[in-house]
Amino acid sequence: MIAMTDLERVIPAPRDREDEAVSAGERPPRREWLVTNGLGGYASGTVAGVMTRRYHGLLIASLPAPLGRMVMLNHLLERVRLPGRGVIWLGDEDEVAGPNASDHRDHLAEFRLELGLPVWVYRVEGFTIEKRILMPYSQNTVHVTYRVVEGSGTVRFNLRPSVHYRGYESPVDDTLIQHYTIAATGSRYELSAGPEWPVLRMLLVGGRAALTLDEKGVTSVPYKMEESRGYQWTGSLWSPGYFRADAQQGQQISLIASAEPWDTVVALSPDEAASAERERRRKLVALSSVRDDDGFAGELVLAADQFIIKPAGRIEEAARARAEGDEVRTVIAGYHWFTDWGRDTMISLEGLTLSTHRFREAGYILRTFAHYVRDGLIPNMFPDGQREGLYHTADASLWFFHAVERYTASTGDDETLRKLLPVLVDIVRHHLTGTRFGIRIDPKDGLFTQGEEGYQLTWMDAKVGDWVVTPRRGKAVELNALWYNAVCLLQGWTEKYGGGDGLNLAEHARRARESFNARFWYDRGGYLYDVVDGPHGDDTCCRPNQMFAISLPHPVLDRERWEPVMTVVRERLLTPMGLRSLAPESATTSPATTATCAPAMPRITRAPSGDG
């Protein structure tokens, strides 16, 4: 097993060019940290301690529908009184504490990740203090722990929590909550905003711990990244008072904040919770069988863990799965703003679960999505706080076949394949007869076509208001490559296990391949059309989508055309950062038709819906 020290990444904090730019007000700090809880909830912020996004907070809880993910604990004002030496601030508090707050970068000596968990090290006047943040797995709970590593005498910590209950996507100036109350039972505190909202439970563990009621509100708190994205960027916070506790060298205090019941909150002490989470992470690394000397691979295993979740918001789904002796798992498409997306889940399943040897969870994911197939379609996404998915995608269902193939090749799990086979057959039948959004197989040539006005059904799904940036209606190159691959896979599975009566899959595969090679080859350019039979004819835009005609297990493109396609891709699309989504010279009128390739995105004030 890789030693813990091999999974430690140190980011020195002495002033660098970014710190100087932040201090000068040129831009908000961009170094960010993220801790997740396996439910879709998380804690996140900047290393500097400044909230710059609406998504930042110490507890963004993943709650049952219709609430979804909610920002419950936004901020913690951290003040330390040293023995006989006055007061210092641990965080960058300028926006929250006011202009008299000291600059924490005078005290922050180091920031590091230990097993993927953030650690801040502060040094001031002979004292060294470490701060750690973790979320117990599968809980909407956060532990913020401070430990006095060095120093003589007693340190008093003052921690002021600030809140603004809202959905994590809601504007920072949202004023749904008008009044908060706080109640105490012994050392346990409950903050409430009314019966329709969850209760925030807080507990401070440490010497002489207490809460001083000192209600305060702060207005005009800036969120600089929201300003740069063109969104509302000033909001307010409310605080009931401040916690205080004492610690000496070798001692620690921990603030626990949670949306869970009290019996769950106190089930583990802060030390026990930290030990359990570190052990869980070590086991994930060990399970993956990465080399003992490959710390970077170990870090990737822990990074992958952030995206595999049990969707806490869909209670009925979990109950159904448990009744069948199964478990629900899905994949978050990205933090901070994405939920679970069908396409992203199927594409990433191999890297997140199979490469890391989390085979059982891979099976859970496939069976979870199979339950949601409607009219032959995998959901495009599950909107936050909703129980049912949206189905406006043309390729997620085809990626499902690819994910099943990679899973069975890695695990040999024939039982899951047999269980999924009727669903896979149903998907193909619906595509042959036609399903939602114009998704169907054209009976004239056996090619996959799709499109409906106002929808963006392929992976190029940016949309701004009613403007579909790259609609790609018609017969898209990667969709037909995926269709051919899916039919070939299903042919092999039905020949082995049965099913698919009357489909004649071999004939559908033959027609698709012949039509593809006849229709998609753009001889003048030496590569593949991006879309054929579109509203404006055939689209000669040079895009990386054509690579799927070569790279899937059953490539649809004739072998003699692989090399010219690869040459064009290397020359026109390859960059040191990966492949462009459009060759620069393609952002002009197509030479073959009157169609126009979609240009690079213009500068807009709001992020496209496909990009959060």
Side-chain angles (χ1 to χ4, degrees):
M1 181 184 296
I2 291 178
M4 181 173 175
T5 53
D6 294 325
L7 289 181
E8 181 178 289
R9 180 175 294 275
V10 177
I11 302 174
R15 293 181 185 273
D16 60 14
R17 295 167 69 179
E18 177 176 305
D19 289 329
E20 293 169 2
V22 171
S23 299
E26 296 175 9
R27 65 169 184 261
R30 293 181 179 271
R31 290 175 176 167
E32 300 185 42
W33 57 271
L34 174 73
V35 178
T36 62
N37 67 357
L39 299 174
Y42 62 88
S44 180
T46 64
V47 172
V50 182
M51 297 179 298
T52 64
R53 301 182 187 272
R54 73 177 83 175
Y55 309 100
H56 284 163
L58 292 173
L59 178 59
I60 290 80
S62 183
L63 302 171
L67 291 174
R69 283 185 280 188
M70 280 194 63
V71 183
M72 295 192 64
L73 177 58
N74 300 63
H75 189 264
L76 200 58
L77 195 65
E78 305 158 304
R79 189 177 67 180
V80 173
R81 184 180 297 278
L82 302 177
R85 296 183 176 88
V87 173
I88 65 169
W89 302 89
L90 295 186
D92 193 337
E93 314 299 349
D94 295 348
E95 289 89 348
V96 178
N100 295 322
S102 65
D103 187 344
H104 90 294
R105 285 183 296 272
D106 292 336
H107 310 308
L108 180 59
E110 181 182 287
F111 176 80
R112 66 177 183 266
L113 298 176
E114 292 181 358
L115 285 168
L117 295 171
V119 181
W120 291 258
V121 180
Y122 301 96
R123 293 193 178 97
V124 58
E125 300 187 36
F127 281 85
T128 300
I129 298 172
E130 288 185 347
K131 169 187 169 183
R132 300 169 184 269
I133 294 179
L134 68 83
M135 303 186 80
Y137 187 68
S138 198
Q139 289 188 34
N140 286 304
T141 302
V142 64
H143 288 211
V144 186
T145 298
Y146 305 83
R147 183 176 183 83
V148 180
V149 179
E150 291 180 322
S152 177
T154 300
V155 175
R156 169 154 290 187
F157 293 86
N158 285 351
L159 308 174
R160 177 179 285 277
S162 296
V163 300
H164 174 199
Y165 281 13
R166 55 180 170 80
Y168 82 125
E169 282 271 30
S170 298
V172 297
D173 61 352
D174 197 328
T175 56
L176 288 175
I177 308 298
Q178 300 295 329
H179 184 65
Y180 297 93
T181 60
I182 190 164
T185 303
S187 61
R188 301 178 180 183
Y189 301 91
E190 294 188 351
L191 191 149
S192 175
E196 68 271 32
W197 301 101
V199 172
L200 176 64
R201 296 175 175 86
M202 293 182 287
L203 173 67
L204 184 64
V205 180
R208 303 179 65 187
L211 172 67
T212 298
L213 293 177
D214 180 27
E215 179 178 336
K216 287 186 177 180
V218 182
T219 59
S220 300
V221 177
Y223 296 78
K224 294 293 189 179
M225 288 300 293
E226 297 305 306
E227 180 184 21
S228 70
R229 299 174 70 225
Y231 289 96
Q232 296 90 336
W233 62 280
T234 57
S236 60
L237 296 174
W238 178 85
S239 174
Y242 59 88
F243 289 96
R244 68 179 188 273
D246 296 343
Q248 297 181 343
Q249 181 173 323
Q251 296 177 338
Q252 68 182 37
I253 70 164
S254 295
L255 178 65
I256 304 173
S258 180
E260 303 291 346
W262 275 116
D263 56 354
T264 301
V265 175
V266 300
L268 296 176
S269 70
D271 281 338
E272 290 170 334
S275 178
E277 180 60 15
R278 287 194 293 267
E279 182 60 21
R280 187 187 74 86
R281 290 169 177 254
R282 289 190 184 101
K283 287 180 177 178
L284 290 177
V285 176
L287 179 66
S288 68
S289 300
V290 300
R291 295 199 321 268
D292 290 346
D293 61 347
D294 195 345
F296 180 66
E299 288 185 282
L300 290 179
V301 170
L302 296 179
D305 177 59
Q306 297 176 120
F307 297 91
I308 304 168
I309 71 163
K310 295 180 285 186
R314 303 197 290 271
I315 295 177
E316 297 88 345
E317 179 182 8
R320 174 200 55 77
R322 285 195 297 269
E324 297 176 357
D326 215 342
E327 294 285 345
V328 175
R329 293 293 187 278
T330 187
V331 171
I332 289 288
Y335 293 95
H336 300 85
W337 41 78
F338 286 107
T339 58
D340 42 340
W341 289 50
R343 173 192 303 114
D344 304 63
T345 296
M346 297 308 145
I347 291 173
S348 64
L349 182 134
E350 182 174 8
L352 295 181
T353 62
L354 303 181
S355 297
T356 58
H357 296 180
R358 297 175 71 165
F359 303 126
R360 179 178 299 178
E361 285 162 304
Y364 290 158
I365 291 168
L366 293 173
R367 294 189 293 273
T368 295
F369 272 85
H371 173 72
Y372 280 98
V373 171
R374 301 287 187 274
D375 299 326
L377 299 177
I378 288 283
N380 183 42
M381 62 174 293
F382 290 90
D384 197 67
Q386 297 186 27
R387 295 178 173 88
E388 286 292 330
L390 300 178
Y391 288 81
H392 51 283
T393 177
D395 58 345
S397 305
L398 305 179
W399 280 115
F400 187 43
F401 285 78
H402 179 70
V404 170
E405 188 276 332
R406 301 314 301 149
Y407 172 77
T408 55
S410 297
T411 66
D413 182 2
D414 289 347
E415 181 179 348
T416 289
L417 177 56
R418 289 174 182 271
K419 186 173 183 177
L420 296 179
L421 196 53
V423 178
L424 299 169
V425 170
D426 178 72
I427 290 173
V428 168
R429 289 191 190 277
H430 272 90
H431 281 68
L432 289 170
T433 57
T435 184
R436 307 182 192 182
F437 309 109
I439 296 172
R440 62 187 177 89
I441 305 305
D442 188 340
K444 296 177 182 177
D445 55 15
L447 292 176
F448 188 112
T449 187
Q450 54 81 34
E452 188 170 302
E453 189 72 32
Y455 287 93
Q456 66 285 22
L457 302 181
T458 74
W459 73 271
M460 305 181 72
D461 58 2
K463 185 178 182 181
V464 183
D466 294 330
W467 174 40
V468 177
V469 179
T470 316
R472 302 181 74 228
R473 297 194 300 273
K475 299 168 181 175
V477 62
E478 82 279 7
L479 296 182
N480 279 279
L482 286 163
W483 166 250
Y484 175 76
N485 184 63
V487 172
C488 290
L489 290 173
L490 187 60
Q491 179 187 352
W493 293 331
T494 55
E495 287 176 353
K496 184 176 182 179
Y497 300 111
D501 296 339
L503 281 180
N504 197 354
L505 295 168
E507 176 60 17
H508 288 300
R510 184 195 64 78
R511 287 196 68 207
R513 183 183 179 91
E514 288 184 359
S515 296
F516 183 93
N517 284 278
R519 293 286 290 109
F520 275 92
W521 182 248
Y522 175 41
D523 191 62
R524 180 175 174 180
Y527 58 88
L528 299 178
Y529 287 110
D530 188 54
V531 178
V532 300
D533 294 346
H536 303 288
D538 298 340
D539 186 349
T540 62
C541 289
C542 182
R543 296 192 182 276
N545 308 320
Q546 62 189 303
M547 293 292 295
F548 292 112
I550 298 172
S551 58
L552 292 169
H554 294 277
V556 67
L557 184 63
D558 288 343
R559 182 66 178 82
E560 62 268 19
R561 289 174 173 167
W562 291 11
E563 185 173 346
V565 166
M566 291 299 298
T567 298
V568 169
V569 168
R570 280 193 298 266
E571 292 177 351
R572 300 178 63 181
L573 298 174
L574 184 63
T575 77
M577 303 299 291
L579 296 178
R580 297 183 179 94
S581 62
L582 177 65
E585 60 272 24
S586 286
T588 58
T589 301
S590 169
T593 72
T594 59
T596 300
C597 295
M601 284 286 291
R603 193 176 191 279
I604 56 178
T605 57
R606 292 178 65 89
S609 62
D611 298 326

